[in-house]
């Protein structure tokens, strides 16, 4: 069985969360792409990626949770999904350069958010819930840290996926404790492991 992990803003497929998921779910193949910064590139890239990989489940955190939600037709878990990236003033500032927190396959160490990237996030966010099917409503789950001070999209998720939003004792960023207590048990339950 295969799990695809979508990382958050400023991260990569080489995040510590990926290593922890591999250690905690040894029966699964855990793979994680580096997500392009611009959503105009990222969304089609990720749609093609999952089409080729055919994962049994997708897990996305923060920005990755926002992208995971849009992978219609797949079982998925959106952890602290950042559905409103374009209005997150702490991170989405035009003409600001950020460091990547983890190594990227292309060797990039920094990236710059442009005004066009902010506009692309805004355009994508307006469309992100279009295309939800009955399958998606039954197979999309949201996990929301009760100590998350970065993103609060519980009500928005619950509006589109009623009864599938759950809270866990954790913050915005995952650590081994929150993975072990919330994410891994839900993955195992969904996949019948």
């Amino acid at each position: 069985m295969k799990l695809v992990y979508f990382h958050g803003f400023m991260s990569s497929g080489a995040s510590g969360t990926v290593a922890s998921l591999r250690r905690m779910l040894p029966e699964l193949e855990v793979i994680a792409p580096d997500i392009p910064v611009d959503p105009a590139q990222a969304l089609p890239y990720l749609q093609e990626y999952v089409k080729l990989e055919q994962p049994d489940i997708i897990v996305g955190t923060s920005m990755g949770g926002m992208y995971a939600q849009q992978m219609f037709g797949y079982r998925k878990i959106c952890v602290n999904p950042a559905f409103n990236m374009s209005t997150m003033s702490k991170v989405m500032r035009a003409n600001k350069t950020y460091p990547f927190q983890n190594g990227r396959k292309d060797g990039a160490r920094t990236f710059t958010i442009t005004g066009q990237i902010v506009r692309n996030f805004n355009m994508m966010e307006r469309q992100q819930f279009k295309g939800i099917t009955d399958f998606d409503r039954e197979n999309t789950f949201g996990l929301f840290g009760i100590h998350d001070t970065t993103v609060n999209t519980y009500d928005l998720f619950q509006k589109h996926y009623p009864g599938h939003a759950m809270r866990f004792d954790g913050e915005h960023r995952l650590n081994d404790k929150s993975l072990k207590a919330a994410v891994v048990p839900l993955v195992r339950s969904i996949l019948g492991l």
Side-chain angles (χ1 to χ4, degrees), residues 88-125:
M88 293 180 66
S89 60
K90 290 181 187 175
V91 297
M92 202 50 58
R93 294 192 191 134
N95 303 315
K96 181 163 167 109
T97 299
Y98 297 89
F100 283 115
Q101 296 170 339
N102 310 101
R104 307 253 311 176
K105 290 178 183 137
D106 64 3
R109 295 179 181 270
T110 63
F111 65 98
T112 301
I113 294 295
T114 64
Q116 186 61 53
I117 288 173
V118 175
R119 287 188 292 278
N120 289 347
F121 268 110
N122 186 272
M123 285 188 291
M124 182 198 61
E125 289 160 8

Side-chain angles (χ1 to χ4, degrees), residues 55-145:
D56 296 283
I57 192 165
I58 299 167
V59 176
T61 57
S62 191
M63 179 189 74
M66 179 260 310
Y67 283 125
Q69 186 279 139
Q70 296 177 76
M71 299 297 116
F72 303 120
Y74 295 90
R75 294 183 287 190
K76 51 203 174 272
I77 301 170
C78 307
V79 184
N80 298 321
F83 294 134
N84 304 306
M85 289 291 296
S86 67
T87 57
M88 293 180 66
S89 60
K90 290 181 187 175
V91 297
M92 202 50 58
R93 294 192 191 134
N95 303 315
K96 181 163 167 109
T97 299
Y98 297 89
F100 283 115
Q101 296 170 339
N102 310 101
R104 307 253 311 176
K105 290 178 183 137
D106 64 3
R109 295 179 181 270
T110 63
F111 65 98
T112 301
I113 294 295
T114 64
Q116 186 61 53
I117 288 173
V118 175
R119 287 188 292 278
N120 289 347
F121 268 110
N122 186 272
M123 285 188 291
M124 182 198 61
E125 289 160 8
R126 292 184 208 178
Q127 310 288 325
Q128 66 185 319
F129 297 107
K130 292 183 179 176
I132 297 173
T133 66
D134 289 341
F135 175 89
D136 295 305
R137 273 185 280 282
E138 290 300 313
N139 292 282
T140 302
F141 299 85
L143 288 173
F144 298 84

